[in-house]
Amino acid sequence: MAVEQLKTLVIDALEEVKGRDITTLDVRGISGVTDYMVVCSGTSNRHVKSLADNVWVEAKKAGFTPMGMEGQQTAEWVLVDFGDVVVHVMLPEARLFYDLERLWQVPAADGEPSDGGDES
């Protein structure tokens, strides 16, 4: 249950600072590293950094301990790692280039890719 609470808290923290195109990827069946990835876009380097900072601050307030944060220097792609939930805050260009949503698609039983997650 704590993982679901953390996922909800992360999404709320991103929405609070006007994160764009927030997507949640359920990777429990395909990743041994994390259960959920939350991907979000920011409008500028400063916005990307403030989105990630807000996630960090709100999670700490709620008693969740972040394992680390990477990418704050350039703020093109900031990763906030909570273990069971990993948050990727990216500039639109970086998000398009790395295309994490496609990368983590789960193949459906019929061989066609499914989205692997839900839009939030």
Side-chain angles (χ1 to χ4, degrees):
M1 185 59 154
V3 175
E4 297 297 325
Q5 290 173 325
L6 176 58
K7 180 179 72 164
T8 300
L9 181 143
V10 163
I11 292 166
D12 291 346
L14 292 169
E15 289 174 343
E16 182 179 314
V17 191
K18 309 266 189 267
R20 295 189 172 188
D21 302 319
I22 302 167
T23 302
T24 303
L25 304 173
D26 182 343
V27 295
R28 289 176 288 186
I30 56 176
S31 171
V33 177
T34 190
D35 291 341
Y36 294 101
M37 290 186 194
V38 178
V39 184
C40 173
S41 295
T43 58
S44 67
N45 299 81
R46 181 172 283 176
H47 188 216
V48 166
K49 184 166 180 357
S50 45
L51 285 160
D53 288 345
N54 197 53
V55 167
W56 181 280
V57 168
E58 292 302 317
K60 296 265 303 181
K61 276 195 231 175
F64 293 99
T65 305
M67 296 173 67
M69 186 182 324
E70 307 234 353
Q72 316 86 290
Q73 304 305 346
T74 61
E76 292 176 11
W77 177 358
V78 179
L79 181 140
V80 186
D81 186 355
F82 292 96
D84 293 330
V85 177
V86 175
V87 184
H88 300 271
V89 185
M90 310 169 91
L91 288 175
E93 303 81 33
R95 186 169 179 175
L96 183 64
F97 181 79
Y98 290 102
D99 199 4
L100 295 178
E101 290 91 341
R102 186 190 55 76
L103 180 67
W104 286 98
Q105 283 180 339
V106 178
D110 62 4
E112 293 296 317
S114 70
D115 67 4
D118 62 313
E119 297 289 321
S120 298

